[in-house]
Amino acid sequence: MNDIFAKRRARLLAMKAIRDNYIPGDKLVSCPHCGQESERKAVAEGLSVCPKCGYHWPLGAYYRLSTILDPGSFRELHPRLPAGDPLSFPGYRTKLESSQRKTGLTEAAVTATGAIGGRRCVVGVLDSRFLMGSMSAAVGEKITLAIEFATKNKLPLILFAASGGARMQEGILSLMQMAKTSAALARFSEKGLLYISVLTDPTTGGVTASFASLGDIILAEPGALIGFAGPRVIQQTIGETLPEGFQRSEFQMEHGFVDAVVPRTEMRDTLARLLRLHEKGGRQ
Amino acid sequence: MSELTAAQRVAIARHPQRPNITDYIDALFTDFFEQKGDRLCGEDGAVLGGVALYHGRPVTVIGTRKGKTLEENLNCNFGMPNPEGYRKALRLMRQAEKFRRPIFTFIDTSGAYPGLEAEERGQGEAIARNLMEMSQLTVPVIAVITGEGNSGGALALGVGDRVLMLENAVYAILSPEGFATILWKDASRHEEACDLMKLTAPDLLRLGVIDDIIPEPEGGAHLAPAIALRQVDRAISRHLAELDSESGKSLVAARYQKFRKMGAAAPEKENP
């Protein structure tokens, strides 16, 4: 019986993952970084990494999950948690609905339990296709519920950040999600549990200034933009052009804010290894 | 309370003669000893903090500082903190916990400084760390938004057991100008943004983001500062008295619930 359900879950995730792993273009797709064209099939099979220059395309949430979770282990948490419009902001509902249609998601975050290398964990993923992965009350709530679930079940936690920052249309309530998620992580950390934060392109604003920066271990995909203020705002403020590579993953590692830059093709193995390394405390 | 538009309140909140952190320290506290530096790499004039006596009792006071003259403005970066400011604040808050002192924060900032060096030194990490650690402090924390409270730069001092706002203060995700720029690519629509953003004290009380509104004299605190300062004193001493009876553990639990509820949808019953 369990087997049938596991298979069904695996199939469901696979279907959603296929839908998510879509890069516009016909047989050939062109890389926004190096401009060169590659076979669509080669890109799709190579985890949406450009075979020519190593550029990492943004990933849809379910596809991301399918690339790191053991087959059949995926179980979504709170899939029906609704998007909201707490300030009754003009035009926002329509915007939400069109994002929902475009992505098939209800909001910009998907959270799940699953296993990586046979070890159970809670994984949350932000999806930059949904209003730039911005932090809404629903996103904050989903992430917080996932953290609380991990705390209660004593499971390691992995969160993939991808966010343009605050959800403007939710104003101050977007801001408060920073305090909410960070407070939940404080409780999680107190239990001696492991939190791995993975920063992907882009991780900025309120997400950087809350849960994304609070990992016991912080990983980043190559070349991701990571920062609090966006480059345009900084440029306007200081009136100078910004140095090459400013706020990219490698820059953040050099400045002490990222443990390791990990290519997508090595992400699953790296996570499996970190879960194994943290399985038991040094003192028995 | 007077019926002002959101945009009018923004103007009052930014008034250069509005009471600032130095005025609050002078009027409400005695024997203030300023503590400088984050003990990591620097000192940030945009955040002022130290130990003082409040009605004879030791407390920790921290606030953002904008300055009133151009020279002061420049010395404290117009009240926009760098990471060192937030790290200094955290150092002082941990110390307050060690010595069992209540913490008062006074917030008036247009936001964390969006500068190149601020990014290099981890502006995002500094703010995130404060949010996480403030949520666990076992001493009373009272945050007062006195002027502008913008963005994570304000919230980084705002995770309190009580969050109070002066009647004409504003608290928002970013400045109305920034909001209009991001949403409509047109900063001149900032007045329209003010109305939509729900950034006034009455709006935020209704949304459950703040706990109390401190009345101001007609037309704004700058017109009768002594009265405004007395109102703030009255409010914070009343809220401190309420919190004094709570144990450290129950303060932390209640503070968690307070922020936990913000933007929470109706609970969904689901057990995976």
Side-chain angles (χ1 to χ4, degrees):
Chain A
M1 236 352 219
N2 272 339
D3 218 36
I4 296 170
F5 285 128
K7 270 187 192 148
R8 187 180 295 168
R9 281 200 305 274
R11 229 181 16 246
L12 186 70
L13 179 61
M15 269 162 50
K16 289 186 167 178
I18 289 165
R19 185 194 62 196
D20 268 9
N21 186 21
Y22 177 76
I23 299 166
D26 203 14
K27 233 180 154 167
L28 294 172
V29 292
S30 71
C31 169
H33 186 249
C34 69
Q36 298 190 72
E37 294 196 316
S38 305
E39 292 273 344
R40 154 180 297 290
K41 208 165 159 240
V43 172
E45 285 170 3
L47 304 178
S48 293
V49 176
C50 174
K52 309 274 169 37
C53 74
Y55 168 78
H56 285 50
W57 265 275
L59 289 194
Y62 290 105
Y63 179 55
R64 167 84 67 187
L65 287 163
S66 79
T67 66
I68 57 155
L69 293 179
D70 297 348
S73 69
F74 166 81
R75 282 178 190 218
E76 188 163 352
L77 293 167
H78 316 101
R80 283 183 289 280
L81 194 124
D85 179 12
L87 305 186
S88 307
F89 198 90
Y92 180 41
R93 283 263 170 218
T94 323
K95 224 173 181 151
L96 279 173
E97 280 160 18
S98 89
S99 286
Q100 286 167 341
R101 268 197 307 277
K102 197 180 82 190
T103 59
L105 303 169
T106 50
E107 251 291 358
V110 176
T111 56
T113 64
I116 300 174
R119 288 172 178 82
R120 266 194 92 201
C121 55
V122 171
V123 187
V125 183
L126 297 192
D127 193 320
S128 64
R129 299 169 310 157
F130 194 103
L131 297 177
M132 272 318 290
S134 51
M135 180 103 97
S136 63
V139 167
E141 183 66 16
K142 254 188 159 176
I143 296 291
T144 304
L145 286 168
I147 298 167
E148 289 176 337
F149 182 86
T151 310
K152 196 170 144 215
N153 294 282
K154 297 194 167 53
L155 290 171
L157 171 73
I158 303 168
L159 297 177
F160 285 82
S163 178
R167 181 80 54 87
M168 289 298 137
Q169 296 89 342
E170 298 193 19
I172 194 85
L173 290 171
S174 170
L175 190 69
M176 292 303 136
Q177 304 312 309
M178 294 166 62
K180 186 163 106 180
T181 53
S182 301
L185 282 171
R187 286 190 158 191
F188 173 82
S189 189
E190 263 200 340
K191 302 272 182 225
L193 298 163
L194 169 69
Y195 165 37
I196 303 172
S197 172
V198 187
L199 314 180
T200 74
D201 190 47
T203 299
T204 59
V207 168
T208 300
S210 62
F211 63 84
S213 292
L214 296 171
D216 298 297
I217 304 221
I218 301 184
L219 307 177
E221 284 196 335
L225 180 76
I226 300 160
F228 176 61
R232 215 175 315 149
V233 176
I234 299 169
Q235 204 153 318
Q236 277 167 11
T237 307
I238 63 169
E240 294 167 37
T241 40
L242 300 169
E244 179 80 19
F246 179 64
Q247 292 183 315
R248 296 287 160 184
S249 305
E250 298 72 15
F251 171 99
Q252 294 293 359
M253 185 167 68
E254 233 168 76
H255 284 86
F257 295 100
V258 165
D259 286 284
V261 175
V262 180
R264 196 172 282 164
T265 46
E266 294 167 25
M267 191 59 77
R268 180 202 191 101
D269 290 349
T270 305
L271 292 174
R273 188 171 148 219
L274 288 171
L275 292 182
R276 196 176 65 234
L277 281 168
H278 288 82
E279 204 159 43
K280 277 182 187 149
R283 289 166 68 101
Q284 300 289 315
Chain B
M1 272 178 217
S2 52
E3 285 307 312
L4 295 166
T5 67
Q8 283 168 330
R9 289 194 203 269
V10 170
I12 293 175
R14 289 175 179 172
H15 196 284
Q17 294 311 315
R18 195 169 169 81
N20 67 15
I21 178 68
T22 323
D23 299 318
Y24 288 107
I25 288 174
D26 288 348
L28 274 55
F29 302 89
T30 54
D31 213 3
F32 175 66
F33 177 80
E34 183 182 355
Q35 295 178 271
K36 288 186 176 170
D38 66 355
R39 297 294 188 273
L40 296 163
C41 76
E43 154 66 9
D44 184 356
V47 176
L48 175 66
V51 52
L53 297 178
Y54 181 62
H55 296 291
R57 152 188 194 186
V59 297
T60 286
V61 190
I62 302 167
T64 51
R65 173 167 52 182
K66 278 182 177 171
K68 284 184 179 173
T69 63
L70 185 62
E71 197 190 341
E72 282 175 11
N73 293 155
L74 291 168
N75 283 338
C76 52
N77 198 28
F78 294 84
M80 291 181 284
N82 275 281
E84 297 72 47
Y86 295 115
R87 291 180 180 134
K88 171 169 74 177
L90 182 58
R91 177 173 82 83
L92 302 192
M93 289 190 273
R94 283 184 182 139
Q95 220 169 77
E97 188 175 44
K98 171 180 169 184
F99 295 109
R100 312 306 304 158
R101 292 194 289 258
I103 299 166
F104 292 110
T105 66
F106 292 88
I107 299 166
D108 179 19
T109 177
S110 58
Y113 185 59
L116 186 139
E117 282 98 12
E119 291 292 316
E120 284 180 339
R121 297 193 297 265
Q123 188 73 285
E125 192 274 344
I127 294 171
R129 185 76 45 200
N130 280 20
L131 301 180
M132 181 156 101
E133 301 229 358
M134 281 188 89
S135 76
Q136 293 283 308
L137 292 168
T138 54
V139 291
V141 182
I142 296 176
V144 188
I145 320 274
T146 61
E148 263 184 301
N150 283 352
S151 95
L155 182 61
L157 299 176
V159 185
D161 302 296
R162 296 285 192 277
V163 181
L164 317 179
M165 255 176 104
L166 268 76
E167 186 186 338
N168 295 310
V170 292
Y171 191 15
I173 188 94
L174 83 174
S175 71
E177 291 83 0
F179 187 90
T181 306
I182 291 182
L183 219 54
W184 306 308
K185 313 230 175 320
D186 184 2
S188 69
R189 287 172 72 181
H190 60 91
E191 289 203 6
E192 191 182 337
C194 289
D195 290 329
L196 293 173
M197 286 172 79
K198 309 271 194 292
L199 43 65
T200 67
D203 280 337
L204 294 167
L205 187 66
R206 226 171 293 131
L207 287 168
V209 170
I210 63 162
D211 302 288
D212 202 356
I213 300 175
I214 304 171
E216 285 185 38
E218 187 80 37
H222 59 286
L223 295 177
I227 298 174
L229 291 162
R230 207 158 46 234
Q231 292 285 5
V232 173
D233 185 21
R234 220 173 273 161
I236 64 175
S237 86
R238 178 163 46 87
H239 284 285
L240 181 61
E242 284 172 24
L243 296 170
D244 267 336
S245 57
E246 305 279 333
S247 71
K249 217 175 139 189
S250 73
L251 284 173
V252 172
R255 200 182 303 134
Y256 185 81
Q257 287 312 326
K258 170 180 164 63
F259 286 90
R260 179 68 189 83
K261 282 192 301 219
M262 294 187 193
E268 180 196 28
K269 289 277 166 244
E270 204 163 356
N271 285 313

